[in-house]
Each structure stands twice: as structure tokens, then as C-alpha cells.
Amino acid sequence: MTKVYRKGLPFSAEVAPLIGAMPLLDEYREPLMRLQGAWDSLALLGQMSGAATDMADTRSAFEALTGRLLDSLARRQLRNAVQQLQGRSQVAIDILIRNLFERTADVGFLASDGPLRAALQDDEDPQALRQRFAAYVAKYSVYDQVVLLAADGRRIAALDESRCAPRVDEPALRAAFEPGRAFVEAHGATALLGGQPGLVYAAAVNAGSGEASGPRGLLCLSFKLEDEMLGLFRALCAGVKRSVLVLKDGEGRVLLTSDPWQIPLGAPLADAGQAQGWRLDFAGRDYLSCSSAASGYEGYFGPGWTAQMLQPLQHAFSDAPPERQEGRAGQVDTRELFDEELRSIPIEARRIQRELSRSLWNGKLKSRAQTPAVASAGATGGVQNGSAFAVTLLNEVERTGDQLRQVFERAIAQLEDGALGAVFDAAGFQAELAISIVNRNLYERANDCRWWALDARLQRALATGDAASASAVLASIHALYTVYSLLLVFDTAGRVVAVSDPAQAHHVGRSLQGEWVAGALGLRDASRHVVSAHEPCGLYGEDGHAPCLVYAAGVPHPEGGGQVGGIAIVFDGAPQFRAMLRAALPAQPGAAALLVTRAGEVVASSDERWQPGDRAPVSLAVLQGLAADRQVTGELDHQGRVQAFGLAMSGGYREYRRLTPPDATDLAALVLLPLGERLEDGAGAASQAAFEPQAPVGTQRVDIASFLVDHQWLGLPALQVLAALERQRITAWPQAPAAVRGMLGFEGRMLPVLDLGQLLFNRPCGDEAALMVCQTAAGQRLVLAVQQLGQVFVAGAEQMQPSPTRPGWAAQAQVRLLKGQGPSMLTLLDGDDLWRLVSGVAEAAASAAPTGATASSLAATQVLTLG
């Protein structure tokens, strides 16, 4: 990976130009550089005194790790910012395309409307057509103009005649007359809107009974593009400081903008050149920018537009990662959220610190050995003063190294918190996106059933019992609206008269059951509709018993005076809801989205683990307590893994289900993003804090080398400890006691390696154990594996007290206790006691060994005996 140096440190080429806009980098770079500089002073003092250990390797290792840490921090910030911009720009264009797909079906259906076709043959009163247009727009409020033109461009009727020219002859609209052209979509200034720009859908209208007979006309629908997109832009820009969302045409010019003061209409705006986002200069201001093309819906990709989201570079990285919330993902294995390099940094920092501690431990032991450990409290002298200075210097080196490690761990923790916060934010955002897509889709379903109920052909067919004509009309509608499983009409007794799909003709003559049937027949207002509960009704699925949503409305008599029946549209929920939910999911393995009711029932799922009718994996109390148009995030356990969840309750769309009281059938979107397995208490805890001794008192002093075993502080007289070793290969020792790890070489001798955790507490110290060589008064040597090295310090002999208890392993030992600062306690062992204990274990193992293993066990005993 190419590196570029900035501020004296190497950064990846993708982030190097951006680091000046990342204040979080300076928050960690400055203390790290100060601490790195401290090594120079310490190394100089060590060289002058001849007392310090060689720190060159440790300094180089920390310096290299500093570069890796800051580069990872910068790349993580860039990734989070780009994902946020890219996700929102993709949502903007994809929601628009789904919306426009419905417009392509609407214009085709309305172009076949009976009164419109009749108007091309007869001099029908334009006022009657305007009233019909108004009734249509009252249901489909996404339109602001409906116009019927004659073939020569003459205006026959318009919803708003004050805006429409008497004659409209525009090539882009006349293209709808081309053979085989179902519709055209045209954006720009148009005489339909008094010369103002708009997005217009047009389709040819054929007069008479034959498709090619009689004069032809043109139906034009003007979509409220600005009204739709600016509301969507506001929702998507919320929470992204100073951000701008724009819609661009195929030539890269801005059609709509959320902030014209930053990015004005008509401005030529360069595309984002890289998938991960890039730095864009516009009007003298730097932006982070991401653009998205349409993903397509049902094979439709729209007019070739793109959405682009921009955020001023000075604000793109200004927000620090959120602090970890208490009780949220605090004990979760989140390794899957981070790349290998990022996960390795704290591990490497701890390794460097362990090596530094080992080196300093040996330096302190050497310095202590130069001066007798037991001395008069008032003794002075050059040797003692030199030794004291060396120990002080070594302690300062260790403190500086520990500060470096803490900065690394704090930075990684902040990165983890930021990544976790991004996951919870993503879950909430994707849940809001999912329910927004669902709301917009179901809004269209409610509109469709109400408008089709006003189709004069269906009204006449039901009034006269002409099932064939009704079937033909339903089939033509179904061909335009592919999101339905079945369309049907029924009479006033609830019996099915006709269906849209000949393969489901067996439903004809069937008596429908359900509250929605009586509800539709009881409606007296053409603006009303009913919807069924999500449950089986015999009309959906291979066996007809799969749960579904049915939208229905009453069909009025063509001559007035009551109803002639009803129309029902069976939403193809299984694939349609699944597609909506999957469209709302981020590209994260294991992510899932569910559509659930307020009563806790699963309606649909993107994941096979949940089927319709199952219980939702989120608390019923959360579902029932969530207000409309609100979302909440949290975590839950599912199948042994912790999931971040976002839950968004529907609040409707436009006039559809707005301000309705809470109901058990209300829908909510639940998005689940996996975090990892739940950790056991303390599994993720860092190394235990060092034992802090009290100030020595009394006339007799003892140097103590401390270490950690099974999270308990133990110690040995420093004179009994020779050295701490680098990590070395341990030779296996077959048939040795369980506490013997094997053998390793030290100063020309093979020494046994004893795991103190296994020996003393029956819990081994693990693969990361520190190794230390100790020696008895008789000169016998052995290597001890311990959990962690501690300090080498001075204690007063009078401060050590005999232990009031005798654990089993210390029954014959002289165990003393030393109280530290606060509640901490250290148990002081003796090398001779340990040797006797180990020898006893080896002899017991030898006597209990099987015949075939006796030789190896005896050999182990002999090695321990000889030391």
C-alpha cells in the first residue's frame, strides 16, 4: 500500500489529503509524539549513567505502531463518513425510482379510462373531465396537473387550465404516439405548466372500441417531483452536519438541491469518481462527495438521473465518535466489525509493553543485585545512590511505555465505540428506510383500489353481470400493475364475479369471507377503502391459505344510487415485502430485516429464519410503546449472538394512515445487524493494574519481584529471581506432571518450566504467560510461567505479616502477606518452598505413573532433584 508522509507520519494515499480535516488525529498524534520524544531524554540519561537498558528497539516498535494506529484511525473515519453519504444518496435515488415506477403504471391505466376515451369522440363537457381529474388527484396526491390533449395538441381538458396553454405541441410528449411506446417521461419547461419545469408522464389515448379506431389523444400527468424529493432530502440530511443532497440529470446538472445556497439549481456538478467517495472542489469549497445511480425496480431505471450527497470537508470528520453507552454492547466480542490490522494494533502494543517490562524487570533486578537488599535505612554511598538513580530511571521508562500503551488502547476503544455507534445508527436508519419504502408502497395500494372502483367499465360489468368484460378489464389493469397476486370484483352478496388471472378462475362464484368484505360493501364514500388484517383469506399462496393483505373498496352503481359490489386487490406481499426489506439492508453479512405488527407478529422477512406468523424477536413492550413515526435502537440476543436492532414504527405517507390512533395491525420495520457473541464477565478485560506497594518503613528492607497469577498478586524475594526471559520455544516433556510445561535452555542448562497457575490454583496461565528464572538458596534453578510481571520494589520487613490461612499448596510453606495501597494484597512466596512443592508433585506423579511411563516420570523427578 502506497504511503504518503504528512506531519512526519506515513498515511495511506487515500486519506493523506484529508488528514488536515480530521481533528481526532491531532487528539492522539500530539500525546503520542510527546511520549515518543520522551524516549530521547530517557535514552540520553541512560547513556550518561550507564544504568538504563537498551531502548532503541522498543522506541522503533512504538514509533511504527504510532503510524499504523493513526493511519487506521484516519481510514476508519473516512470509511464511516463515506458509508453515511453513499448510503443516503443511494436511498434517495432508489426511493425516487420506486415512486416513478408507479407513475408509469398510472399513466397507462388512466389513458384507458372510459370517460377520457369518450371525450376524444364526443364534445364532452370539459368541466366533467376536470372533476374526474380532481377526483383522481384527490386519491393520487403526487400529481399537480392532469391534461388531456387532442392528437393535434389542442387542450381538451386540464385540471388547472390557468397553467396549461390552449395548445401544447412538444416533440418530447408527441413521442408517446410512436408504435409500441407505452409511455414517455419528459423533464423540463413545458406549456402544460405555464412554461415552468416539471416531470411529465404521457401516454396515447385511443378512442372508440378498437385500439386503432377513431382519433387519438394524449394524457399527461405532472408528478410533484420537487414536493416529493425535498421532503425526502430533509429526512436524509438530518443528522449529517451541513450536508447537501442533489438530484442530477444525465448531463450532470443539478435538477433539485436540498440547499441552493451551497449547490444551486442548474450547476454542473462533477460526479464522485470513486466508489468509496472522494474530495470534490465546488465554488472554492472542499466537499466529501458520493453519488449513486439507480439500482432499478421491476426492470425500470428511470430517466437516467443520479443522486449525489456532499458534506463540507471541514464538517465531515468533526464529530468525535460517541462515548460507549452503559449496558450497550459492553460485553460483546466485536472482532468481526474490525479488519485484521486494526485488531492487531492493541495486541501489538501490549506485546511491545510486555517486552519492555521484561527488559526493565531485568534491569531493576540487576540494579538491586548491585546493592545488598537488606541494609540500614540510613545507609548512604555512591553505589547505593547510583542504584537508586538507575531504578528511578527504569521506573520512568516503564511509566512512559505504559502511557504509550494506554493511549493506543484508548484510541482503539474510541474506534470501537465509533464503529459500534455507526452500527446502531445504521440499524435505526435502515429501519426508517424500510418502513418508508413500505409506507410509500402501501399508499399506492390504497389509491389503486379506490380509483379502479370508479372505472366505468367495471361498474357496468357488475351492474349487468357481464363477467367476461370485467375479467378483461381486470386483466388489462393487472398487466400494468405487477405487484399484485390477483385482482377481483364481487357482487353485493360477496360472491366473486370476475378475476384478473384465468389460472385462478376457480375463485369465480365463491363467497368471500372476512370483515373486509362487509366493510367494503358498507362504504358510501368513494374516498374510503378498507384493508384486511395480515392473515389467510383463501386468495393467496399455492394452497390459497398463505397470509396476505387485501385492499378493497365499494364499486358504485354507474347510474348512482348505491353500490353494485366491490373490488379487491390481493397484494403479492411475500416477494414484494421481501424485496422492500432487502432493498433497505446494508451490505453486511448476517443482516436481516423484518416487517412486524405492533402485536408482535412477523408479516414478512428478508431472512428464512423468520416466517410470516412467527413472533417478532423484539420485546412486545418496545413495540407497543413506540409512537408512530418514531424509531428506537438497542440490542438483543438471538441464537447465541448479540444483534444491534433498529425499530421504526409506521406513521403513514402523505394522507395515507396519517395521525391514526395506535392499533395492533400497525406495521413496523425491524432491522437486525449482528455484533458478535456475548462475552463472559471479565472476558474482555484488560490486564490487571499493577500492585502498588506502600512506602517502606522500619530498619530492615527487602527487595520484592512481583507477578500476577490467576489474577492474584504474588512475589518472591528479588535475590531469588535471576531474569525474565524473552518468549522462547519450550521443549515438550512427555509424561511430566501437569504443572510442568516442558524444558528450555538458560545459560547452558536445561531447566523445567513450571506453570504457577496450574501448580497453585489448578488454572494454567495461558499462552501469553511471562517466563522468569528463579533460584533456591542451594542453587537449584527453575523457570516459572506467570500471568503478568509486576513491579520490583522495596518493602519493609516489619510490614510483612504471616498469612492467617494456609491453602493446601502452602501447608508447609512460610507464606507472608504484604498490604498495598487500597485493598490490594500481595502474597510473598519463597523459592525453596516452591522447589519442595514441585519436587513432591513430581515424586507423586512418578509413583502413580503406569509401568510404561515410569522411566519418564523418574527422569522428571531426577531433573527436578538436580535442578
Side-chain angles (χ1 to χ4, degrees):
M1 182 183 295
T2 304
K3 296 290 185 179
V4 178
Y5 276 82
R6 292 287 189 274
K7 299 183 179 181
L9 292 169
F11 289 93
S12 303
E14 62 176 335
V15 299
L18 306 174
I19 64 170
M22 297 180 176
L24 188 62
L25 288 186
D26 286 334
E27 181 180 330
Y28 289 107
R29 185 186 67 84
E30 292 176 3
L32 284 169
M33 298 305 289
R34 282 198 305 270
L35 289 169
Q36 289 284 357
W39 288 108
D40 296 331
S41 300
L42 294 171
L44 179 61
L45 288 173
Q47 292 172 3
M48 292 173 61
S49 66
T53 185
D54 182 15
M55 296 181 291
D57 290 342
T58 302
R59 187 189 191 285
S60 298
F62 270 131
E63 186 175 15
L65 198 59
T66 295
R68 285 176 55 196
L69 172 70
L70 295 178
D71 185 52
S72 293
L73 187 63
R75 287 188 289 110
R76 171 64 67 168
Q77 286 192 90
L78 176 60
R79 176 184 172 186
N80 289 346
V82 166
Q83 282 181 339
Q84 183 170 238
L85 300 182
Q86 191 75 59
R88 282 164 166 76
S89 65
Q90 192 68 59
V91 166
I93 191 65
D94 284 347
I95 283 187
L96 175 63
I97 294 307
R98 282 175 170 270
N99 200 324
L100 298 187
F101 170 77
E102 300 286 349
R103 313 291 65 89
T104 67
D106 287 352
V107 74
F109 167 73
L110 194 56
S112 65
D113 189 52
L116 273 67
R117 299 176 68 182
L120 294 176
Q121 288 181 309
D122 307 324
D123 292 330
E124 185 167 330
D125 180 9
Q127 179 62 26
L129 280 179
R130 283 197 296 272
Q131 290 175 354
R132 190 158 183 81
F133 293 162
Y136 186 77
V137 171
K139 297 172 179 61
Y140 296 86
S141 61
V142 295
Y143 299 112
D144 60 2
Q145 180 70 298
V146 183
V147 179
L148 179 64
L149 300 174
D152 60 0
R154 177 174 47 88
R155 182 188 73 204
I156 295 175
L159 176 65
D160 185 356
E161 292 188 346
S162 66
R163 301 175 63 197
C164 181
R167 183 176 295 274
V168 180
D169 188 11
E170 298 174 359
L173 299 179
R174 293 185 62 82
F177 288 129
E178 296 174 1
R181 192 75 176 264
F183 67 91
V184 296
E185 55 188 349
H187 183 268
T190 174
L192 296 171
L193 302 173
Q196 294 299 310
L199 177 60
V200 176
Y201 287 80
V205 181
N206 295 302
S209 58
E211 288 298 317
S213 64
R216 301 199 301 172
L218 194 65
L219 175 70
C220 303
L221 301 178
S222 172
F223 175 63
K224 294 180 181 178
L225 178 64
E226 184 173 352
D227 179 67
E228 171 68 14
M229 294 309 293
L230 293 186
L232 183 60
F233 283 173
R234 282 193 297 271
L236 292 175
C237 289
V240 186
K241 187 183 297 183
R242 303 290 194 277
S243 60
V244 189
L245 250 173
V246 301
L247 185 67
K248 302 193 304 180
D249 64 17
E251 297 179 352
R253 292 192 174 274
V254 175
L255 297 175
L256 289 173
T257 174
S258 65
D259 188 347
W261 294 103
Q262 288 197 68
I263 311 292
L265 290 173
L269 191 62
D271 245 349
Q274 303 174 2
Q276 73 271 21
W278 67 317
R279 186 174 179 171
L280 175 69
D281 176 68
F282 179 81
R285 191 176 192 183
D286 283 334
Y287 289 90
L288 194 68
S289 170
C290 293
S291 59
S292 300
S295 302
Y297 179 63
E298 298 281 327
Y300 170 75
F301 287 85
W305 296 343
T306 57
Q308 189 163 345
M309 192 168 191
L310 306 94
Q311 187 176 19
L313 201 58
Q314 68 191 93
H315 299 295
F317 312 105
S318 61
D319 291 333
E323 295 184 2
R324 176 167 296 175
Q325 297 185 27
E326 193 67 29
R328 171 174 285 189
Q331 291 296 324
V332 178
D333 184 353
T334 57
R335 287 178 295 179
E336 295 178 15
L337 299 179
F338 308 101
D339 56 53
E340 182 63 33
E341 181 180 12
L342 189 58
R343 295 200 306 268
S344 70
I345 289 176
I347 297 174
E348 179 69 7
R350 287 192 289 270
R351 185 198 66 77
I352 295 172
Q353 179 62 23
R354 281 197 303 270
E355 293 303 314
L356 177 63
S357 296
R358 180 197 60 77
S359 177
L360 297 177
W361 222 65
N362 288 334
K364 292 177 185 178
L365 291 173
K366 180 180 178 181
S367 297
R368 300 287 182 184
Q370 292 174 355
T371 304
V374 180
S376 168
T380 59
V383 174
Q384 288 181 325
N385 289 338
S387 173
F389 174 79
V391 171
T392 300
L393 178 62
L394 293 171
N395 284 337
E396 185 62 25
V397 171
E398 184 172 38
R399 188 181 69 85
T400 302
D402 193 55
Q403 285 179 324
L404 277 166
R405 177 189 59 78
Q406 290 176 20
V407 174
F408 283 121
E409 292 184 351
R410 188 167 64 252
I412 295 298
Q414 192 163 13
L415 278 176
E416 291 177 346
D417 291 343
L420 282 172
V423 171
F424 283 103
D425 289 345
F429 173 73
Q430 303 299 148
E432 287 186 309
L433 169 61
I435 201 62
S436 177
I437 293 175
V438 169
N439 284 335
R440 283 169 164 78
N441 198 294
L442 297 186
Y443 162 80
E444 303 289 347
R445 312 294 66 89
N447 293 341
D448 290 347
C449 71
R450 292 183 295 160
W451 181 251
W452 298 340
L454 300 181
D455 189 288
R457 298 167 298 174
L458 289 177
Q459 292 175 1
R460 286 194 302 269
L462 277 178
T464 60
D466 187 353
S469 295
S471 295
V473 173
L474 292 174
S476 67
I477 297 174
H478 201 174
L480 294 170
Y481 295 83
T482 57
V483 298
Y484 296 110
S485 171
L486 184 66
L487 311 181
L488 58 91
V489 289
F490 51 94
D491 61 22
T492 54
R495 288 189 299 269
V496 178
V497 174
V499 297
S500 62
D501 183 1
Q504 300 189 56
H506 57 276
H507 290 301
V508 175
R510 170 187 167 188
S511 292
L512 299 172
Q513 304 295 322
E515 294 182 5
W516 62 270
V517 181
L521 292 173
L523 293 175
R524 295 295 181 265
D525 184 347
S527 66
R528 303 291 298 278
H529 75 286
V530 295
V531 59
S532 72
H534 188 262
E535 61 187 12
C537 66
L539 298 172
Y540 188 63
E542 293 183 3
D543 58 359
H545 295 295
C548 64
L549 288 176
V550 179
Y551 286 78
V555 178
H557 196 284
E559 298 178 1
Q563 293 186 351
V564 290
I567 182 170
I569 55 179
V570 182
F571 184 54
D572 196 7
Q576 293 297 326
F577 280 137
R578 188 182 305 117
M580 294 181 218
L581 294 172
R582 287 178 176 173
L585 280 180
Q588 178 177 337
L594 292 79
L595 190 64
V596 301
T597 67
R598 191 182 288 276
E601 177 187 339
V602 173
V603 171
S605 170
S606 67
D607 195 297
E608 297 298 327
R609 288 176 292 177
W610 293 276
Q611 297 297 321
D614 289 350
R615 298 299 300 173
V618 71
S619 159
L620 191 60
V622 173
L623 275 168
Q624 294 179 342
L626 190 58
D629 259 342
R630 300 295 181 187
Q631 64 101 346
V632 65
T633 61
E635 65 178 64
L636 56 84
D637 291 289
H638 182 74
Q639 296 180 344
R641 295 177 66 81
V642 181
Q643 311 271 340
F645 76 79
L647 180 70
M649 184 63 65
S650 170
Y653 171 67
R654 291 186 176 269
E655 64 276 7
Y656 173 69
R657 292 187 65 85
R658 298 295 294 178
L659 306 178
T660 57
D663 186 83
T665 61
D666 290 344
L667 295 177
L670 175 66
V671 170
L672 302 174
L673 304 180
L675 293 177
E677 297 182 355
R678 180 78 67 183
L679 296 174
E680 298 179 3
D681 290 342
S687 299
Q688 185 166 327
F691 176 79
E692 295 292 342
Q694 296 180 350
V697 296
T699 58
Q700 299 295 316
R701 307 291 176 86
V702 178
D703 288 334
I704 296 175
S706 65
F707 47 88
L708 195 67
V709 177
D710 193 34
H711 302 285
Q712 301 182 47
W713 283 109
L714 308 178
L716 283 170
L719 290 177
Q720 296 181 1
V721 181
L722 301 181
L725 303 179
E726 296 182 8
R727 293 181 59 82
Q728 298 185 20
R729 182 176 178 274
I730 299 175
T731 303
W733 189 352
Q735 305 301 326
V740 179
R741 289 195 171 197
M743 306 281 289
L744 63 76
F746 179 75
E747 295 183 350
R749 299 167 62 179
M750 292 298 292
L751 304 180
V753 180
L754 305 177
D755 189 321
L756 273 191
Q758 180 69 43
L759 182 70
L760 304 181
F761 307 108
N762 202 32
R763 285 189 286 273
C765 288
D767 295 335
E768 298 296 324
L771 302 177
M772 47 185 281
V773 182
C774 66
Q775 179 172 277
T776 67
Q780 295 139 325
R781 294 181 176 181
L782 69 160
V783 180
L784 303 179
V786 300
Q787 181 182 345
Q788 176 184 326
L789 296 177
Q791 298 188 67
V792 179
F793 61 91
V794 178
E798 291 85 351
Q799 293 174 285
M800 293 177 284
Q801 303 297 325
S803 174
T805 60
R806 286 288 191 272
W809 58 265
Q812 305 300 319
Q814 298 298 315
V815 177
R816 290 174 290 174
L817 299 180
L818 178 64
K819 191 177 186 308
Q821 297 182 21
S824 60
M825 190 73 70
L826 178 141
T827 302
L828 183 64
L829 309 177
D830 182 79
D832 290 358
D833 290 334
L834 283 178
W835 186 265
R836 285 192 294 271
L837 175 62
V838 172
S839 299
V841 170
E843 291 172 0
S847 63
T851 304
T854 302
S856 296
S857 298
L858 288 175
T861 305
Q862 291 171 356
V863 170
L864 290 173
T865 303
L866 294 174

